[in-house]
Amino acid sequence: MYYVDPHIHMVSRITDDYVRMARAGCVAVSEPAFWAGFDRGSGAAFRDYFRQLCEHEPKRAAQFGIHHMCWLCINAKEADNVSLSREVISIIPEFLAQPGVLGIGEIGLNKNTRNEVTIFEEQVELAMKTDELILVHTPHLQDKYKGTRMILDILQGDTRIKPERILIDHVEEHTIKLALDAGFWVGMTLYPLTKCTPERAVDMVERFGAARLMVNSAGDWGPSNPMNTPNFMRTMRDRGHDAMAVQEVVYENPIRFFAQSRKFNFEPPIPVRDPAKTHRTAKASGTHSTD
Ligand SMILES: [Zn+2]
């Protein structure tokens, strides 16, 4: 079965990870701009990072038959430095026309500071001016609910925002409904220690249905496992969901969301169905989760 990992930081992964992912059915990835394992000291460092994301990493991925797309931004972790952030924001438009650049992301909040909010709003402004999709990082810390609420309030207070063009990532049980009810896409990040396990993610698919929902491994510089999207697929099958239901979450949904970008340049190896005709996995399983 084919899958897409819609949020994975391949610059932090070794080549063997591409090999394992390809063998497990990965045909495409999207890589949001993020922290690179250390705080960078200049705009020039970000220009090089954006070149790595837009030019180098797609070639590395292609050697293993994986199509690589990306997102550009200054991430929330480094956004507390307002002057550096503004320098980076001024560089982003140089890269926005490149093929496979899906939009602005992953922007959001980390510690919910005033500076992070300022830079989040300035990057939303850039996305509105340039008509880009947005990928949003919600905090991992104990302030996840508060940070998610702050982000949704900012987005919903902007009349230009079209929720179907925004992905709210790293949702968990206490934040998924806020984002889905407001019409956004959501991503569940399958980390080994924090965020969400494959089992909890399947619970949420069963509770909320598969529409506008995707999963990712976020493989990055912290404890993470690039094989967690295939692990989720196995867990979903073990819980009695059929292959088409799994395919909707791990293949069709990311492609449906990304295809809204005018720079989307992936040719899916099998067609993506009309969303109106797909299964609704909330009712597909006999092993329904508990609330
Ligand atoms: Zn990330």
Side-chain angles (χ1 to χ4, degrees):
M1 193 187 296
Y2 293 138
Y3 79 92
V4 174
D5 198 323
H7 185 145
I8 185 162
H9 299 286
M10 294 310 299
V11 303
S12 68
R13 308 308 313 191
I14 56 170
T15 296
D16 286 355
D17 290 335
Y18 271 124
V19 173
R20 291 193 295 150
M21 289 161 63
R23 284 187 184 151
C26 184
V27 288
V29 294
S30 102
E31 175 155 3
F34 192 49
W35 191 64
F38 65 103
D39 288 347
R40 285 154 285 199
S42 68
F46 280 86
R47 186 179 272 111
D48 282 346
Y49 176 57
F50 294 157
R51 282 186 43 238
Q52 184 180 15
L53 290 178
C54 297
E55 297 164 17
H56 176 74
E57 206 59 37
K59 288 186 199 138
R60 191 160 84 105
Q63 293 171 50
F64 309 98
I66 295 177
H67 185 81
H68 181 285
M69 297 168 282
C70 71
W71 303 75
L72 304 175
C73 77
I74 170 110
N75 63 87
K77 218 169 151 66
E78 288 171 277
D80 219 35
N81 182 338
V82 171
S83 59
L84 175 64
S85 298
R86 287 183 173 147
E87 190 184 349
V88 175
I89 292 169
S90 75
I91 293 169
I92 292 169
E94 294 173 26
F95 294 88
L96 283 178
Q98 298 235 25
V101 176
L102 297 174
I104 302 296
E106 56 185 296
I107 58 171
L109 300 177
N110 181 42
K111 293 181 178 161
N112 305 336
T113 66
R114 186 63 237 164
N115 285 350
E116 289 171 17
V117 169
T118 298
I119 296 305
F120 176 74
E121 289 174 332
E122 291 182 16
Q123 295 196 96
V124 169
E125 187 61 36
L126 173 63
M128 290 300 103
K129 275 194 193 137
T130 52
D131 193 28
E132 295 290 342
L133 301 180
I134 297 177
L135 194 158
V136 176
H137 164 101
T138 53
H140 308 324
L141 311 171
Q142 58 272 34
D143 286 342
K144 178 181 273 295
Y145 182 85
K146 183 181 167 206
T148 304
R149 188 68 267 169
M150 287 167 71
I151 288 167
L152 295 184
D153 286 346
I154 292 167
L155 294 173
Q156 290 180 289
D158 187 331
T159 54
R160 301 168 299 174
I161 293 284
K162 296 189 180 99
E164 69 275 14
R165 290 177 58 81
I166 298 183
L167 168 61
I168 307 292
D169 221 321
H170 316 317
V171 296
E172 293 179 28
E173 289 84 346
H174 57 309
T175 58
I176 184 171
K177 197 166 183 306
L178 292 176
L180 281 176
D181 285 351
F184 298 105
W185 288 78
V186 298
M188 297 183 288
T189 295
L190 309 170
Y191 267 173
L193 303 177
T194 58
K195 295 204 189 83
C196 188
T197 60
E199 290 76 14
R200 283 169 52 205
V202 178
D203 287 347
M204 284 188 265
V205 172
E206 290 172 352
R207 281 182 64 186
F208 298 102
R212 286 184 283 115
L213 188 152
M214 51 189 109
V215 299
N216 61 73
S217 73
D220 57 32
W221 296 98
S224 55
N225 179 358
M227 301 308 288
N228 258 354
T229 301
N231 289 343
F232 163 88
M233 294 158 70
R234 187 68 256 160
T235 305
M236 209 170 153
R237 292 304 303 271
D238 288 347
R239 294 259 288 259
H241 297 276
D242 66 23
M244 295 302 259
V246 179
Q247 189 181 298
E248 183 178 8
V249 178
V250 301
Y251 177 83
E252 295 183 314
N253 279 348
I255 292 171
R256 286 172 183 147
F257 176 66
F258 297 160
Q260 298 178 88
S261 167
R262 61 192 177 281
K263 277 107 11 114
F264 178 73
N265 61 349
F266 175 56
E267 287 181 26
I270 51 173
V272 171
R273 293 168 293 171
D274 176 345
K277 291 181 187 144
T278 53
H279 298 227
R280 281 293 157 259
T281 47
K283 295 188 182 88
S285 170
T287 54
H288 203 278
S289 68
T290 54
D291 284 355

